[in-house]
Amino acid sequence: MFSNYLFAKVPLPDPYQTITMEDSMDACIEDMMGSGVMGVICVDQHGLLLSARGSPSSHNAGSIAELALLAEKLHPNSAPVLTVECDSCNVLIKKQDDVTVSIFKLP
């Protein structure tokens, strides 16, 4: 039979704690920050800003979505990664399902 010891080791979830999709996305973005990453912007397929951290402007959300869409038209059977190289930063853009992530890194 089951002993009370087995059940005592399993922590019970807080019934008032809710975890949303945004919480999970924000946690992933926080993990990416650092090690040369200046900022991260996540947008949906329409260019709607989902989350942003760091120095890049959230006004770039629509442009990021459009660049990912154009790259997808060039290579329709794959998920291309765009690299934009500037003097101040490098931008990596990738669309996965309905979310496009752009990472702004130091050059």
PDB file of all heavy atoms in Angstrom, residues 34-48:
ATOM      1  N   GLY A  34      21.666  39.035 -21.011  1.00  0.00           N
ATOM      2  CA  GLY A  34      23.029  38.852 -20.528  1.00  0.00           C
ATOM      3  C   GLY A  34      23.883  38.262 -21.631  1.00  0.00           C
ATOM      4  O   GLY A  34      23.421  38.021 -22.754  1.00  0.00           O
ATOM      5  N   SER A  35      25.124  38.040 -21.354  1.00  0.00           N
ATOM      6  CA  SER A  35      26.114  37.484 -22.289  1.00  0.00           C
ATOM      7  C   SER A  35      26.044  38.142 -23.667  1.00  0.00           C
ATOM      8  O   SER A  35      25.955  37.476 -24.687  1.00  0.00           O
ATOM      9  CB  SER A  35      25.952  35.962 -22.409  1.00  0.00           C
ATOM     10  OG  SER A  35      24.732  35.622 -23.023  1.00  0.00           O
ATOM     11  N   GLY A  36      26.070  39.468 -23.669  1.00  0.00           N
ATOM     12  CA  GLY A  36      26.104  40.210 -24.915  1.00  0.00           C
ATOM     13  C   GLY A  36      24.751  40.528 -25.524  1.00  0.00           C
ATOM     14  O   GLY A  36      24.678  41.189 -26.544  1.00  0.00           O
ATOM     15  N   VAL A  37      23.664  40.064 -24.914  1.00  0.00           N
ATOM     16  CA  VAL A  37      22.327  40.354 -25.438  1.00  0.00           C
ATOM     17  C   VAL A  37      21.869  41.698 -24.888  1.00  0.00           C
ATOM     18  O   VAL A  37      21.797  41.899 -23.681  1.00  0.00           O
ATOM     19  CB  VAL A  37      21.322  39.243 -25.058  1.00  0.00           C
ATOM     20  CG1 VAL A  37      19.915  39.613 -25.501  1.00  0.00           C
ATOM     21  CG2 VAL A  37      21.742  37.919 -25.678  1.00  0.00           C
ATOM     22  N   MET A  38      21.576  42.619 -25.808  1.00  0.00           N
ATOM     23  CA  MET A  38      21.123  43.956 -25.416  1.00  0.00           C
ATOM     24  C   MET A  38      19.614  44.008 -25.211  1.00  0.00           C
ATOM     25  O   MET A  38      19.115  44.834 -24.456  1.00  0.00           O
ATOM     26  CB  MET A  38      21.508  44.965 -26.500  1.00  0.00           C
ATOM     27  CG  MET A  38      22.992  45.093 -26.698  1.00  0.00           C
ATOM     28  SD  MET A  38      23.463  46.042 -28.168  1.00  0.00           S
ATOM     29  CE  MET A  38      22.197  47.241 -28.362  1.00  0.00           C
ATOM     30  N   GLY A  39      18.881  43.135 -25.910  1.00  0.00           N
ATOM     31  CA  GLY A  39      17.438  43.144 -25.787  1.00  0.00           C
ATOM     32  C   GLY A  39      16.783  42.074 -26.628  1.00  0.00           C
ATOM     33  O   GLY A  39      17.405  41.487 -27.511  1.00  0.00           O
ATOM     34  N   VAL A  40      15.510  41.831 -26.334  1.00  0.00           N
ATOM     35  CA  VAL A  40      14.723  40.815 -27.034  1.00  0.00           C
ATOM     36  C   VAL A  40      13.335  41.396 -27.287  1.00  0.00           C
ATOM     37  O   VAL A  40      12.759  42.040 -26.402  1.00  0.00           O
ATOM     38  CB  VAL A  40      14.605  39.516 -26.202  1.00  0.00           C
ATOM     39  CG1 VAL A  40      13.740  38.494 -26.902  1.00  0.00           C
ATOM     40  CG2 VAL A  40      15.975  38.941 -25.902  1.00  0.00           C
ATOM     41  N   ILE A  41      12.818  41.170 -28.490  1.00  0.00           N
ATOM     42  CA  ILE A  41      11.451  41.569 -28.822  1.00  0.00           C
ATOM     43  C   ILE A  41      10.729  40.351 -29.385  1.00  0.00           C
ATOM     44  O   ILE A  41      11.250  39.675 -30.284  1.00  0.00           O
ATOM     45  CB  ILE A  41      11.425  42.713 -29.857  1.00  0.00           C
ATOM     46  CG1 ILE A  41      12.030  43.981 -29.269  1.00  0.00           C
ATOM     47  CG2 ILE A  41       9.996  42.988 -30.320  1.00  0.00           C
ATOM     48  CD1 ILE A  41      12.089  45.144 -30.247  1.00  0.00           C
ATOM     49  N   CYS A  42       9.535  40.060 -28.870  1.00  0.00           N
ATOM     50  CA  CYS A  42       8.687  38.986 -29.378  1.00  0.00           C
ATOM     51  C   CYS A  42       7.408  39.591 -29.923  1.00  0.00           C
ATOM     52  O   CYS A  42       6.771  40.411 -29.254  1.00  0.00           O
ATOM     53  CB  CYS A  42       8.341  37.995 -28.273  1.00  0.00           C
ATOM     54  SG  CYS A  42       9.754  37.151 -27.574  1.00  0.00           S
ATOM     55  N   VAL A  43       7.038  39.192 -31.138  1.00  0.00           N
ATOM     56  CA  VAL A  43       5.829  39.706 -31.788  1.00  0.00           C
ATOM     57  C   VAL A  43       5.026  38.532 -32.338  1.00  0.00           C
ATOM     58  O   VAL A  43       5.561  37.438 -32.543  1.00  0.00           O
ATOM     59  CB  VAL A  43       6.167  40.698 -32.916  1.00  0.00           C
ATOM     60  CG1 VAL A  43       6.914  41.906 -32.396  1.00  0.00           C
ATOM     61  CG2 VAL A  43       6.949  40.043 -34.025  1.00  0.00           C
ATOM     62  N   ASP A  44       3.733  38.780 -32.589  1.00  0.00           N
ATOM     63  CA  ASP A  44       2.922  37.754 -33.229  1.00  0.00           C
ATOM     64  C   ASP A  44       2.985  37.916 -34.751  1.00  0.00           C
ATOM     65  O   ASP A  44       3.720  38.766 -35.258  1.00  0.00           O
ATOM     66  CB  ASP A  44       1.483  37.767 -32.700  1.00  0.00           C
ATOM     67  CG  ASP A  44       0.677  38.966 -33.162  1.00  0.00           C
ATOM     68  OD1 ASP A  44       1.205  39.832 -33.882  1.00  0.00           O
ATOM     69  OD2 ASP A  44      -0.509  39.023 -32.791  1.00  0.00           O
ATOM     70  N   GLN A  45       2.219  37.101 -35.481  1.00  0.00           N
ATOM     71  CA  GLN A  45       2.293  37.110 -36.940  1.00  0.00           C
ATOM     72  C   GLN A  45       1.786  38.405 -37.560  1.00  0.00           C
ATOM     73  O   GLN A  45       2.053  38.691 -38.725  1.00  0.00           O
ATOM     74  CB  GLN A  45       1.550  35.907 -37.539  1.00  0.00           C
ATOM     75  CG  GLN A  45       0.048  35.941 -37.377  1.00  0.00           C
ATOM     76  CD  GLN A  45      -0.437  35.298 -36.090  1.00  0.00           C
ATOM     77  OE1 GLN A  45       0.320  35.133 -35.145  1.00  0.00           O
ATOM     78  NE2 GLN A  45      -1.698  34.937 -36.069  1.00  0.00           N
ATOM     79  N   HIS A  46       1.055  39.219 -36.795  1.00  0.00           N
ATOM     80  CA  HIS A  46       0.542  40.482 -37.297  1.00  0.00           C
ATOM     81  C   HIS A  46       1.400  41.678 -36.876  1.00  0.00           C
ATOM     82  O   HIS A  46       1.053  42.815 -37.164  1.00  0.00           O
ATOM     83  CB  HIS A  46      -0.885  40.702 -36.810  1.00  0.00           C
ATOM     84  CG  HIS A  46      -1.814  39.591 -37.184  1.00  0.00           C
ATOM     85  ND1 HIS A  46      -2.191  39.340 -38.474  1.00  0.00           N
ATOM     86  CD2 HIS A  46      -2.415  38.656 -36.430  1.00  0.00           C
ATOM     87  CE1 HIS A  46      -3.000  38.304 -38.506  1.00  0.00           C
ATOM     88  NE2 HIS A  46      -3.147  37.860 -37.279  1.00  0.00           N
ATOM     89  N   GLY A  47       2.480  41.428 -36.158  1.00  0.00           N
ATOM     90  CA  GLY A  47       3.342  42.506 -35.702  1.00  0.00           C
ATOM     91  C   GLY A  47       2.950  43.073 -34.351  1.00  0.00           C
ATOM     92  O   GLY A  47       3.510  44.080 -33.915  1.00  0.00           O
ATOM     93  N   LEU A  48       1.999  42.436 -33.672  1.00  0.00           N
ATOM     94  CA  LEU A  48       1.593  42.881 -32.336  1.00  0.00           C
ATOM     95  C   LEU A  48       2.672  42.511 -31.329  1.00  0.00           C
ATOM     96  O   LEU A  48       3.106  41.355 -31.277  1.00  0.00           O
ATOM     97  CB  LEU A  48       0.266  42.242 -31.935  1.00  0.00           C
ATOM     98  CG  LEU A  48      -0.250  42.575 -30.552  1.00  0.00           C
ATOM     99  CD1 LEU A  48      -0.658  44.046 -30.474  1.00  0.00           C
ATOM    100  CD2 LEU A  48      -1.421  41.690 -30.182  1.00  0.00           C
TER     101      LEU A  48
END
